[in-house]
Amino acid sequence: MAKKVLVLGELKGGELRNVTFEAIAAASQVANGGEVVGVLFGENASSHAEKMIHSGADRVLVAENDELKQFTTDAYTQAFLQVVESEKPEGIMIGHTSSGKDIAPRIATKLGAGLISDAVDVEVNGDDVVFTRPIYSGKAFEKKQIEEGLVFATIRPNNIAPLEEDTARTGDITTVDVDIKDLRTIVKEVVKKTSGGIDLAEASIIVSGGRGVKSAEGFKTLEELAEVLGAAVGASRGACDAGYCDYSMQIGQTGKVVTPDLYIACGISGAIQHLAGMSNSKVIVAINKDPEAPIFDVADYGIVGDLFDVVPKLTEAFKKE
Ligand code: FAD
């Protein structure tokens, strides 16, 4: 059956996050010839709506209320539920990001619907819509299907290929009236931490450091390699706990879950909680001076050696490329 599927787009730093396009690709499969309707909230949302259409949405609904300038759980949940009420979709796709993880379960609860979270793949066969999602900290995958009613899923960044952008695609962009009230949270000011700028969750290459990096100064060695590769810098909790870097860089069970094309683990032992956040990376390179380190069990390429010897050599070699 053809379906109408809503996709909640996400803006970050004044740009649409890539996961928006990946969610649109998932939605167009789920729609099965039906309609993909983008939904976008926030400051200047309407100026990004066309890009959602170029990426596969058939039309886009935008709301730019003052209360939606910054993400808050309350405001975005209220606004999205009002769009659902008027559109009556058969499917909803939202990125599995911090904000997506925050509002999707609330929306599902309010709608009395099921939710398949953290989907990495979707297959559609007639009326069957089957999502694949990781379980047991990424050690296995399960296939999940919502038997009846709304097909609702969150989509893990970096897994479902976006559709090819087509700038000739056209579609309506409509401003919707949403009534937001009784907010319990209001964002007064956003103070941004300075960082390398590449979003860990969406980075295609990550250079990551652990306790073996030994100091905040040691992370500069990794940053140099990251800069040459156009990579983001991540960390183990060991490195964060030791104060070498900020917790926003932590990858793992209680940090960020990443699936880059290339993950370079430097001085990371490979504890199960760290693997939970990165073991589904496409290619893993481990640099560790202990040949018995468990990280080598998941690595595609292992370099046994001192990271302070190996990493600068890699940086120099890639500079020449
Ligand atoms: P270590 O285990 O100390 O490993 C350091 C490694 O560096 C060693 O293998 C050593 O051989 C190597 N090394 C040292 N010097 C060098 C050198 N010069 N060159 C090359 N190699 C060198 N951890 C996470 O990462 N993410 C999480 O989200 C997370 N969540 C957790 C949740 C819970 C509930 C718990 C209990 C733990 C969690 N942990 C998490 C912690 C996890 O169990 C490990 O303690 C942590 O991952 C270890 O970090 P590490 O590998 O950097 O440090």
Side-chain angles (χ1 to χ4, degrees), residues 48-269:
H48 300 278
E50 196 173 33
K51 193 149 186 197
M52 289 181 81
I53 290 171
H54 293 166
S55 306
D58 295 301
R59 61 189 169 96
V60 179
L61 307 170
V62 294
E64 297 178 339
N65 303 37
D66 281 350
E67 300 88 341
L68 298 171
K69 271 189 183 160
Q70 295 292 342
F71 174 84
T72 64
T73 314
D74 265 5
Y76 273 55
T77 303
Q78 284 188 36
F80 194 75
L81 283 169
Q82 287 171 46
V83 174
V84 172
E85 174 71 32
S86 62
E87 289 290 325
K88 306 201 172 11
E90 283 98 19
I92 298 175
M93 302 289 122
I94 296 181
H96 193 73
T97 58
S98 315
S99 49
K101 282 189 262 186
D102 192 356
I103 62 168
R106 288 164 206 266
I107 292 165
T109 307
K110 295 272 184 200
L111 296 174
L115 170 66
I116 295 175
S117 68
D118 205 11
V120 295
D121 194 21
V122 58
E123 286 163 70
V124 178
N125 194 355
D127 280 347
D128 290 338
V129 181
V130 181
F131 291 92
T132 305
R133 63 184 300 277
I135 49 170
Y136 303 125
S137 301
K139 283 210 209 69
F141 291 88
E142 65 173 352
K143 294 205 182 265
K144 279 273 183 191
Q145 185 172 5
I146 292 174
E147 297 290 342
E148 58 182 50
L150 190 72
V151 177
F152 190 178
T154 60
I155 307 297
R156 183 187 280 206
N158 255 352
N159 280 272
I160 295 175
L163 304 173
E164 203 163 316
E165 194 175 343
D166 176 0
T167 50
R169 273 179 67 88
T170 54
D172 285 344
I173 298 169
T174 315
T175 301
V176 288
D177 282 331
V178 287
D179 180 24
I180 296 165
K181 52 187 178 212
D182 304 328
L183 289 182
R184 287 170 298 177
T185 325
I186 293 167
V187 178
K188 293 198 162 174
E189 190 188 359
V190 177
V191 181
K192 285 195 178 138
K193 278 193 178 143
T194 48
S195 71
I198 299 176
D199 188 337
L200 264 181
E202 293 185 344
S204 56
I205 305 179
I206 294 175
V207 179
S208 197
R211 218 170 345 227
V213 179
K214 294 194 176 68
S215 64
E217 191 63 27
F219 262 84
K220 296 222 167 79
T221 312
L222 272 51
E223 282 160 16
E224 281 160 21
L225 175 59
E227 197 178 326
V228 175
L229 293 174
V233 179
S236 71
R237 178 157 148 189
C240 298
D241 283 347
Y244 306 159
C245 49
D246 192 85
Y247 280 104
S248 61
M249 292 161 67
Q250 184 184 318
I251 291 166
Q253 188 182 315
T254 45
K256 296 198 164 81
V257 175
V258 296
T259 28
D261 294 334
L262 174 61
Y263 188 88
I264 306 178
C266 310
I268 295 178
S269 58

